[in-house]
Amino acid sequence: MSNPIEVRNPRTGKFDYVIIPPPPRLLAQQCKRTRRAQVSWQQLGLEGRIEALQQWKKAILSGRDRLTEALVNDTGRFSTSVLEIDSFLSSIDRWCKLAPELLLDSAKNTAIPFIALQQTSVPYPLVGVISPWNFPLLLSTIDTIPALLAGCAVIVKPSEIAPRFVAPLKTAISAVPELRDVLTFVEGAGETGSALIENVDLVCFTGSVATGRKVAEAAAKGFIPAFLELGGKDPAIVLESANLELATSAILWGSVVNTGQSCLSIERIYVAESIFEKFYHQLVAKAHRLGLAYPTVESGEIGPIIAEKQAAIISDHLLDAVEKGAVIHCGGVIEDLGGGWWCRPTVLTQVNHSMKVMTEETFGPIMPVMSFSTVEEAVSLANDSIYGLSAAVFASQAEALEVSQQIDAGAISINDAALTALMHEGEKNAFKFSGMGGSRMGAAALKRFMRKKAILIKTNATNDPWWFDNGE
């Protein structure tokens, strides 16, 4: 039997939950059973799969209070957990509505008059999903739902840092006979994820660049596709033509929502020199209005730092910045309250790209603000990163659109921040080290789980192939 893993509560610091990873042999057997069940799931047809997912949604709704409680215990925050569940449930409806059109086969004539083409697709039998701790429910299901509708079976390995939500989710799955054999959650750490990759036909991973590289290498060794969404160091550019009231509010939200624990968080801010002081003074004033969700989850807007290791990273980035000349205007301290780690919204100036806080993923409610003198400089600073997940530009619409074309990132929010977290219609790819593989937004998010097949049909009545010449 594998060694148990104790799980820390982010609000209390106590290890009050235990998971037991499956031994590799048992995980391999589970994968084989799930792959066998996929045949019946595919044969159920799209309408049957839609009905099964809707039944799952009903079962989740009936046990919603338990799921909410588990998520709050996993993450230490309440309002974002409620939003996470709402987003998850709405995604079931959204994909059930879109799937019938996206999964249609097609038929057409070809350039050769007597050859017709039928275009069809078949699902990858078994998909493995490895998800992180910052949005435990949402990021474990964002790939799972379209994969199931495509006809795949799915095994999910959530983060060992936030696994409590799995139990109520499994209860809801068990209420749907058609689903319970093709959707499985396995608990464990990195070793379990590695073993999972060895037994699936496609892997989706969300997490750090370092781990993502290992996933990509393992997938390449197994010759299976890998879809990776990795780190971000999202820039915001604020030009002279920006509405500062709008910009400061949007950037504050984009930086501190979920305590900044999102790959889509704004992590560095570039502001035109002429409006720099006015901007950061407004940002600091608004940041002061936000309180910690302590001593209760309803006490304020900023939840605890979920992963203990992340508190050390945030502290290291702040210390490095101050040692190199940065000025902290609010926040700036990791606080130990009730056993949990907390960080208030933090605004820094006098920052530059020699500092970790401007170049490495901080994953906290940290807002370093740097001035620029020309638009070209702003774009150069925004692109001076190994990451390219998303970005934001604040300016008149025409100017913002022009600048957005020059930024090396997969999604650009204009006069708002982190819109890709809310809007799922637009397809996007991660640039640079922020990921690889097809878009998890838009139509491609479902189609990437299908392998295309071309059926070429000879339609004339001759017996010989068209290229055959018998010499007569």
Side-chain angles (χ1 to χ4, degrees):
M1 179 177 288
S2 300
N3 292 327
I5 297 174
E6 294 185 317
V7 183
R8 175 180 171 274
N9 186 308
R11 295 190 67 87
T12 66
K14 296 179 180 178
F15 290 85
D16 58 7
Y17 194 81
V18 175
I19 60 174
I20 302 177
R25 180 178 58 84
L26 292 182
L27 178 58
Q29 291 174 355
Q30 176 66 66
C31 289
K32 289 179 181 178
R33 289 195 298 271
T34 308
R35 182 181 278 106
R36 286 196 298 269
Q38 182 270 337
V39 176
S40 298
W41 176 250
Q42 183 179 351
Q43 291 174 347
L44 188 63
L46 180 57
E47 288 188 7
R49 296 195 292 272
I50 289 173
E51 175 60 26
L53 285 180
Q54 289 297 325
Q55 290 298 321
W56 185 32
K57 177 187 171 184
K58 290 179 182 178
I60 291 165
L61 285 170
S62 68
R64 177 169 181 147
D65 289 347
R66 187 174 171 224
L67 179 58
T68 302
E69 180 183 2
L71 267 183
V72 170
N73 287 331
D74 272 333
T75 63
R77 34 76 165 169
F78 178 73
S79 59
T80 305
S81 295
V82 172
L83 178 62
E84 190 174 351
I85 294 172
D86 288 341
S87 298
F88 160 57
L89 293 172
S90 67
S91 70
I92 293 177
D93 288 337
R94 184 178 72 253
W95 280 118
C96 286
K97 181 179 179 180
L98 293 173
E101 181 180 350
L102 296 178
L103 295 178
L104 283 174
D105 291 341
S106 64
K108 64 178 182 179
N109 296 323
T110 69
I112 301 174
F114 50 86
I115 302 293
L117 168 66
Q118 285 189 9
Q119 195 76 63
T120 187
S121 301
V122 293
Y124 287 91
L126 182 59
V127 169
V129 173
I130 303 174
S131 58
W133 48 262
N134 53 324
F135 290 97
L137 172 64
L138 193 60
L139 292 179
S140 68
T141 56
I142 191 170
D143 300 307
T144 297
I145 295 167
L148 287 168
L149 285 168
C152 312
V154 182
I155 294 185
V156 183
K157 203 293 287 183
S159 170
E160 70 279 13
I161 293 173
R164 297 170 182 82
F165 77 99
V166 171
L169 214 55
K170 279 185 173 180
T171 299
I173 293 169
S174 67
V176 186
E178 297 84 0
L179 194 60
R180 60 191 175 204
D181 292 331
V182 292
L183 175 57
T184 302
F185 283 73
V186 294
E187 296 171 323
E191 297 81 2
T192 303
S194 297
L196 180 63
I197 296 170
E198 294 175 1
N199 290 280
V200 298
D201 305 302
L202 179 154
V203 61
C204 297
F205 172 82
T206 307
S208 70
V209 173
T211 307
R213 188 189 292 273
K214 294 177 183 178
V215 171
E217 291 171 352
K221 185 178 179 180
F223 222 68
I224 64 171
F227 299 111
L228 313 178
E229 182 150 315
L230 309 177
K233 192 69 181 176
D234 290 5
I237 295 176
V238 185
L239 302 176
E240 282 186 313
S241 58
N243 177 329
L244 286 191
E245 186 65 30
L246 168 66
T248 49
S249 293
I251 288 172
L252 178 62
W253 179 86
S255 300
V256 307
V257 66
N258 198 34
T259 318
Q261 299 167 122
S262 170
C263 54
L264 302 174
S265 292
I266 297 297
E267 291 218 357
R268 48 199 175 105
I269 305 160
Y270 304 103
V271 182
E273 283 178 341
S274 61
I275 58 173
F276 178 76
E277 287 209 16
K278 187 175 181 180
F279 174 89
Y280 87 75
H281 282 301
Q282 283 193 26
L283 185 64
V284 170
K286 291 180 179 181
H288 272 301
R289 300 173 194 166
L290 301 179
L292 300 180
Y294 182 86
T296 71
V297 290
E298 295 89 3
S299 296
E301 299 81 7
I302 308 299
I305 300 167
I306 298 170
E308 191 168 22
K309 290 188 298 184
Q310 205 62 43
I313 292 171
I314 296 168
S315 183
D316 176 58
H317 285 197
L318 291 173
L319 179 61
D320 174 75
V322 170
E323 288 179 344
K324 292 175 180 176
V327 176
I328 294 177
H329 298 273
C330 59
V333 178
I334 304 297
E335 303 177 52
D336 180 352
L337 299 174
W341 297 110
W342 303 79
C343 183
R344 299 176 191 273
T346 299
V347 178
L348 303 90
T349 59
Q350 302 299 310
V351 293
N352 59 63
H353 281 214
S354 73
M355 302 173 183
K356 295 177 182 179
V357 77
M358 294 298 285
T359 56
E360 299 180 12
E361 190 172 35
T362 308
F363 229 58
I366 312 301
M367 293 162 279
V369 188
M370 183 175 177
S371 66
F372 63 84
S373 56
T374 66
V375 173
E376 291 74 19
E377 182 187 5
V379 171
S380 177
L381 289 167
N383 288 338
D384 182 22
S385 175
I386 66 168
Y387 299 106
L389 195 59
S390 52
V393 181
F394 294 83
S396 66
Q397 186 167 315
E399 189 176 21
L401 286 169
E402 182 179 351
V403 170
S404 72
Q405 297 297 325
Q406 304 172 55
I407 297 176
D408 297 331
I412 317 294
S413 298
I414 302 297
N415 290 321
D416 211 328
L419 286 178
T420 185
L422 304 174
M423 305 296 293
H424 296 260
E425 287 84 354
E427 294 186 9
K428 66 180 181 68
N429 293 115
F431 286 33
K432 305 179 185 177
F433 282 87
S434 282
M436 60 181 284
S439 173
R440 61 164 31 159
M441 306 293 181
L446 192 152
K447 292 182 177 180
R448 64 196 166 128
F449 295 110
M450 308 292 288
R451 294 165 294 177
K452 293 181 179 179
K453 294 180 71 171
I455 311 297
L456 304 170
I457 306 165
K458 182 178 180 182
T459 58
N460 67 7
T462 61
N463 293 324
D464 294 331
W466 67 272
W467 45 264
F468 183 77
D469 183 358
N470 63 12
E472 294 181 4

